[in-house]
Every structure is written in structure tokens, then in C-alpha cells.
Amino acid sequence: MLDPDLLPLASDRARLRPMRPEDAADYAEGTADAAVRARAHLPETQYTPASVRAMIAESVEPGLARGDLAVLTIADPATDAFAGSLVLFDVTAAEAEVGFWMHPDHRGRGLARAAVELAAELAAGSGLRRLRARTVPDNTASQALLTGAGFAVEGRGAGTAPSGEEVELLTLVRELPHPMDLPVDTDRLRLRLHREQDREALLAIYSRPDVARHLLEEPWTPEDSRRRIEERLARTGLHTGEGALALVIEHEGRVLGDVALWLTDRAHLVAEIGWVLDPAAGGQGLATEAVRAVLDLALRESGLHRVAARMDARNTASARLAERVGMRREAHLREDWWSKGEWTSTLEFGMLASDR
């Protein structure tokens, strides 16, 4: 079932929230648009502000409270004004179907795709494993939006639209990562989400030229540290809109570095991992312990299919670590990346869920 306590959800491009009676006039106006009538397959033939308010009271609010139906408002992120509607329906313990339409005054702004990504965040946060969408084959705009939001075509066939009409439908599916149980404790480490107060400790590590040498970024300045920590604070799980997780490596209360995991293919649950450890803490197996724990989290708990690690080929310490945790060296790309004024080569390691 869907967890209504996760709402509202927002990004810099859209806001997804429960539908309210004050949305009724805009909802009714939007459903009168010819394109919405043709594509959205709405259950009712006509909506008025009064009928929408009745629908909210009789169906929308009870369905959201039960968790088996979510008729949500796609809102402008700046004004919270109604911009369209997104529905999650046919909800089971494992999956749900998503449908959406946009008010004609708000098309072409990227709100719909952003809202679908937020819907995936809601579904994943509620413990669902996949999100399904169906569209008529000639609705290429909807298909492009869905594939851009991480959906993959599963097949086509006859089906029943929400309107009850029998039509040919193309089915697209997005697999969802599972929420993670954080923090993660190992024998010697705690892996936890970042905090603002971690900035000074991480600045001391990332400002070192020997640490930055094999990274794509320059040594951090204090201004860099503020920006980088702000980015990391938003990376709280693969099931979120960010599709990324950033964890501090903590040993006996001291911050030693961090590990990052981010989705590179949402539709097929493929991710990349990266790590940085204070050189002063090297030689004790702490980085190996941290990376192994995050790989376990990714491939066992989160349901990922594959995790890759890419690194400067001169970074022999990271290459040895990747091998120690069981990742396989799959490629050596010669002088494929221009970094810091020179061509550098890249090593790529990979691990599948089946390798665990």
C-alpha cells in the first residue's frame, strides 16, 4: 500500500501533493481540454467544480487514507498552484500503475516528467517494487516522457483504460530500488547519512592534493566544501528522486571519508559506486570494510542488478580494493578522459547481484 505520510514530495521542477477542494475548478477546466479528453481516458465524461469536490470527498481522500488509490495534484513548485493530475491505482503490495495529465496552461515545462519521478519516489518509499504505466501506441510524447523517467517497454496488448474503454495499450515498467535500513554498522564502522557538521572533517580530507590527484575534482576549498556537503545532504537513498546515496564512514566517532552510490540506469537498476578515505586511516582494511558493506546494501537489500566502479588507472590502491571486495575488472580504457590538463586512462570494475 502507498504511504500517504510521505506526501507532499517536491523537487526543483515539480511538487506532488494530495488533491484539495481548491483544485476543483482547475481540475474541471483541465479535463475539458481536447487533448486531455483524448489521452487521459478519464472515468467521467464531464467534470464540474462541484463534481470534483464531491470526488475528492467521496473517493480521493478515502483512497489515499487506505493507501490503495492516490489521486494527486501536480503543482507548480514555486506557487503550489494546480498544474495537472497524477494517479496511482491498482495498488498491490508490490506494484501500482501510474497515469497523469497536464492542464494546457502548464504543458512544455517538464512538470509531468518531474511528477512521475516523484511518484516513483512515493512508490519506492512505500515499499513497492515496480511501477507500471500504459499508453496507446501512438502517444509518442507520453512514451518519451516515461522512458526519460526510467521506464522500459514491457509489451503491448489489449487492455481496459481507466474510462472502461477496451483499447490497445503499450505497457512500460520501471523497477524500483528498495528503501535502505540506515545507518549501517559493521564490526568497526558506522556508515550514516551526511550532516552539516561533517563539513570540516571532509574538507580536511578532500583538500589534500594527494587525495584529489586521482579524482575528477580539484582539492576542495572551504567554498567547495559547503557546496559539496549540500549536495551530499540530499542524497539519502536510491528510492528518492535523487537516485543517490551518500554515506559518511565513521570509526570510533571520527569521520574517515565517505562512500557514494548512484543510479546510472533507473529502469534496469544499475548503479555506480565511489569512495574516498583519509590516507591517514589507510592500511587497516577500513575502506574495504566500508565498500563491502555498501555493496551488500546495494545488491542484497536494495535489489540492484549491477554496480560498477570506475577509477583513474593510476589509482592502484582503489583498484586493489575493488578486487578485494570481489568486483571483477572488466575494462581498461586507454586515455579516454581529459582531466586536469592531461589524458587519463580508466579502469572499470563490476559486480552483479548474482556474484554475491
Side-chain angles (χ1 to χ4, degrees):
M1 294 293 105
L2 299 169
D3 183 357
D5 291 336
L6 297 175
L7 294 168
L9 291 167
S11 69
D12 59 352
R13 296 173 295 153
R15 180 175 169 84
L16 194 63
R17 61 166 173 79
M19 197 173 173
R20 301 193 291 248
E22 52 264 40
D23 297 325
D26 289 328
Y27 186 101
E29 182 180 73
T31 58
D33 177 70
V36 172
R37 299 301 316 172
R39 300 297 192 187
H41 299 292
L42 295 163
E44 302 297 329
T45 57
Q46 184 179 8
Y47 291 87
T48 66
S51 71
V52 174
R53 285 191 291 270
M55 177 183 74
I56 293 171
E58 296 168 8
S59 302
V60 174
E61 291 177 346
L64 187 58
R66 292 192 308 268
D68 59 8
L69 174 68
V71 183
L72 304 173
T73 288
I74 302 171
D76 183 290
T79 66
D80 200 37
F82 180 93
S85 178
L86 182 143
V87 184
L88 289 164
F89 59 102
D90 285 349
V91 181
T92 70
E95 64 180 30
E97 183 165 341
V98 62
F100 55 91
W101 58 265
M102 295 301 301
H103 190 287
D105 291 347
H106 295 277
R107 291 183 190 138
R109 299 173 51 201
L111 283 163
R113 173 171 168 177
V116 170
E117 291 171 348
L118 292 173
E121 183 175 342
L122 172 61
S126 302
L128 276 60
R129 303 297 179 88
R130 69 202 307 252
L131 201 56
R132 184 177 66 256
R134 294 182 295 168
T135 182
V136 293
D138 65 349
N139 191 350
T140 55
S142 180
Q143 292 167 42
L145 184 153
L146 289 165
T147 54
F151 285 73
V153 175
E154 185 178 64
R156 70 168 66 197
T160 304
S163 62
E165 181 185 2
E166 289 295 322
V167 294
E168 183 182 14
L169 294 171
L170 191 68
T171 299
L172 300 94
V173 171
R174 173 171 165 178
E175 302 293 336
L176 301 173
H178 314 163
M180 299 175 177
D181 188 14
L182 298 172
V184 176
D185 291 315
T186 68
D187 289 343
R188 297 180 293 171
L189 304 173
R190 166 157 284 201
L191 304 171
R192 58 164 175 82
L193 296 175
H194 284 69
R195 303 168 185 155
E196 176 61 36
Q197 53 265 40
D198 297 324
R199 186 168 65 85
E200 290 301 323
L202 290 174
L203 173 61
I205 298 169
Y206 277 91
S207 63
R208 294 177 53 149
D210 57 337
V211 170
R213 178 171 178 250
H214 297 314
L215 302 178
L216 296 179
E217 57 196 75
E218 298 290 343
W220 283 9
T221 65
E223 180 56 36
D224 292 330
S225 71
R226 283 187 282 272
R227 177 168 51 86
R228 297 295 188 182
I229 295 303
E230 184 177 345
E231 292 170 351
R232 283 161 165 76
L233 288 171
R235 295 168 183 168
T236 58
L238 302 182
H239 67 290
T240 69
E242 288 280 337
L245 178 68
L247 296 175
V248 162
I249 305 170
E250 193 175 73
H251 173 58
E252 297 178 347
R254 178 187 165 210
V255 174
L256 302 183
D258 55 5
V259 183
L261 187 69
W262 61 97
L263 291 172
T264 56
D265 185 339
R266 286 180 178 270
H268 300 100
L269 296 182
V270 176
E272 188 169 338
I273 189 172
W275 56 83
V276 166
L277 188 78
D278 185 346
Q284 305 174 60
L286 296 173
T288 301
E289 190 171 323
V291 172
R292 182 176 286 121
V294 175
L295 286 171
D296 281 344
L297 188 71
L299 295 168
R300 289 181 178 166
E301 184 176 330
S302 297
L304 296 189
H305 169 68
R306 169 182 162 82
V307 176
R310 294 168 56 87
M311 64 201 67
D312 190 310
R314 298 168 298 180
N315 192 348
T316 55
S318 278
R320 288 195 297 269
L321 189 157
E323 291 172 341
R324 282 198 300 273
V325 298
M327 303 188 83
R328 300 185 187 183
R329 177 168 157 174
E330 297 176 339
H332 184 168
L333 307 177
R334 298 181 303 151
E335 296 189 7
D336 66 315
W337 198 267
W338 181 261
S339 177
K340 301 175 182 175
E342 61 180 330
W343 284 107
T344 63
S345 300
T346 301
L347 294 180
E348 180 162 337
F349 291 80
M351 177 174 283
L352 304 177
S354 57
D355 293 335
R356 303 302 290 172

